[in-house]
Amino acid sequence: MDARFAMDAPDQPGRLIAHRGLSALAPENTLPAFELAGRAGCFWGIETDIHCAADGRFVCLHNEQIDEMTAGRGPVWAYTLDELRSFPIDAGSNIARYPGLTIPTLEEYLEVCRRYDLAAVIELKEDLPERQVARFYELLGREGMLDQCLCISFRYPLLQALRAITREIPVQYLVYRADRADVDAAAALGNSGIDFERADSVLLSYARRLGCTTNIWTVDDPGRQRFWRAAGIGFLTTNRAAQV
């Protein structure tokens, strides 16, 4: 792992991750949101969510269904990339400023991360078939991003599938309300951490004792960001940042 993207940096608490790009200012998981995060100058990484289209292309979108963000209907996996591109994005922050947006590919997202020298924080969504994890890993290799990424997922078997291929890529297990059993599961993966919505300082201390990195989402309030930094959180996932 490139030292700039090392997970364990206790002297740098609360490194910021842009949630679906800088999604407070542009539609989430779009190239403008990724670009704005890159230009902001305050983020360690840019987070996105990936699904697999019918033709095997990995695309960036939060929900399995395309209805919420595009003019189309139905699940991502029902369409090829070209078909998905035919549905314009019609929702999200300041959408009127960004006409003609379409769902980006994983490769386009990685290019932005590379250009701005930021970590690619990639959520493997629950509908992603486990058999696609090897193809995902190969794509990261082709793009030269194996030492510049962090993979996260709510679906533990997807993280296990990645671990069966490599121990070099850091992973974090996503949970809503974390407990010790979740931290134990995360620690068992190795080179790993826990990514949660709710936890406390006792659980943070337990995670650190097991060598787990810690991340909390989604913290937009500057006061809460200061609180979690003081508590020693490793990463803060946010839709915005005080510096922006």
Side-chain angles (χ1 to χ4, degrees):
M1 172 62 65
D2 189 310
R4 294 167 299 172
F5 307 111
M7 297 297 105
D8 186 15
D11 58 331
Q12 299 178 49
R15 287 177 286 177
L16 294 178
I17 295 171
H19 187 228
R20 308 175 197 170
L22 195 46
S23 53
L25 300 184
E28 64 182 43
N29 282 322
T30 63
L31 291 178
F34 301 148
E35 291 276 354
L36 286 169
R39 294 201 296 267
C42 59
F43 291 107
W44 174 84
I46 304 173
E47 186 262 353
T48 195
D49 314 272
I50 64 163
H51 301 266
C52 193
D55 55 358
R57 296 296 300 275
F58 295 108
V59 296
C60 302
L61 191 73
H62 180 255
N63 292 336
E64 177 184 358
Q65 301 291 320
I66 66 174
D67 307 45
E68 181 180 354
M69 290 298 295
T70 80
R73 296 289 182 271
V76 173
W77 49 259
Y79 299 99
T80 66
L81 175 61
D82 285 345
E83 290 168 338
L84 289 171
R85 298 279 212 192
S86 72
F87 303 124
I89 291 174
D90 59 3
S93 300
N94 300 315
I95 183 60
R97 298 181 188 174
Y98 302 102
L101 291 181
T102 57
I103 296 172
T105 64
L106 176 58
E107 292 94 328
E108 290 170 329
Y109 154 80
L110 292 174
E111 194 281 325
V112 175
C113 293
R114 205 166 39 239
R115 181 156 24 102
Y116 289 99
D117 207 21
L118 296 177
V121 181
I122 305 168
E123 181 177 342
L124 307 178
K125 298 302 288 187
E126 293 94 322
D127 63 305
L128 189 71
E130 290 173 40
R131 66 180 182 276
Q132 298 291 357
V133 172
R135 289 186 57 252
F136 165 72
Y137 173 76
E138 291 168 2
L139 187 151
L140 290 178
R142 290 196 304 272
E143 295 290 320
M145 293 293 287
L146 291 175
D147 65 349
Q148 194 173 329
C149 66
L150 164 63
C151 293
I152 64 179
S153 187
F154 283 102
R155 190 171 154 209
Y156 194 78
L158 288 175
L159 300 177
Q160 290 177 308
L162 185 60
R163 267 295 161 268
I165 299 168
T166 178
R167 293 184 64 83
E168 296 306 310
I169 294 178
V171 298
Q172 289 182 338
Y173 183 29
L174 277 165
V175 292
Y176 286 103
R177 186 186 293 272
D179 58 25
R180 286 194 173 211
D182 296 320
V183 176
D184 290 340
L189 293 165
N191 190 18
S192 54
I194 190 82
D195 192 336
F196 55 83
E197 187 177 40
R198 296 184 184 181
D200 56 32
S201 58
V202 174
L203 195 71
L204 257 63
S205 296
Y206 182 66
R208 283 196 291 269
R209 287 202 301 275
L210 293 188
C212 279
T213 59
T214 53
N215 186 6
I216 186 168
W217 87 88
T218 307
V219 186
D220 291 344
D221 177 71
R224 295 299 293 171
Q225 290 183 4
R226 288 192 293 271
F227 168 84
W228 282 109
R229 283 195 178 100
I233 196 77
F235 300 93
L236 289 159
T237 299
T238 179
N239 297 305
R240 54 172 56 87
Q243 298 95 322
V244 178

